[in-house]
Every structure is written in C-alpha cells, then in structure tokens.
Amino acid sequence: MSGTRTRDTAGENRFVAFLKRKWLAIVLVVLLVVVAIQNGVGGDRATIFVLWTQVQMPTWLLVLIVFAIGVITGWVLARNRAARKARR
C-alpha cells in the first residue's frame, strides 16, 4: 500500500517540478494562443516592411511567425550553450 502512495507522490512531485521549471513557457504559450485567436476573429491585416518590399498578412499569422522565430532562436542558443558546456 505504501509503495503505491510513494509512486503517486513521486509522479505528482515530477509534475510539480515540471510546472515549476516551465511555468513561464506555459503562460507565454497560453498568451500566444489567446492573442492569435483574438486577432484571427478580428480579421485585421498587418503591413510589414522587409528590406525593399511591403508584405501584408493577417495579424494572427504574424504573431505565429514571430513566435516560431523566437522558438527557433531559443533552440539554437540552447544547443550552443549545451555544446560549450560539453567542451569544458
């Protein structure tokens, strides 16, 4: 009986530890979803100037593109940091 309780507590502790480590990322993803949905319903369009061209796109798509760029940047920086630590 105590083995089951320990296993449940350990599983709960892992979940709590996960939430403690990733709470900011979870909050930001939820905020991203809310902003994307609100802008998708509104039907607004954003105009972006990229070098010499002008690009128009739905605002929700712009939000998702910026998020993807941020994810890729974070992933690359984390890989570089891990590689530097491994070399030491």
Side-chain angles (χ1 to χ4, degrees), residues 19-75:
L19 288 179
K20 284 182 180 178
R21 279 192 323 250
K22 305 292 184 181
W23 70 269
L24 182 59
I26 293 168
V27 168
L28 289 176
V29 168
V30 169
L31 182 62
L32 167 82
V33 169
V34 169
V35 170
I37 290 172
Q38 285 181 334
N39 284 293
V41 171
D44 293 336
R45 296 189 65 79
T47 303
I48 303 169
F49 297 95
V50 181
L51 300 175
W52 56 87
T53 60
Q54 181 178 346
V55 179
Q56 282 192 338
M57 66 180 68
T59 306
W60 65 267
L61 183 60
L62 175 63
V63 169
L64 293 180
I65 289 171
V66 170
F67 176 73
I69 291 170
V71 167
I72 292 168
T73 303
W75 178 69

Side-chain angles (χ1 to χ4, degrees), residues 5-19:
R5 180 178 284 168
T6 306
R7 211 175 289 143
D8 291 341
T9 306
E12 183 178 320
N13 287 343
R14 276 188 254 148
F15 181 69
V16 170
F18 172 79
L19 288 179

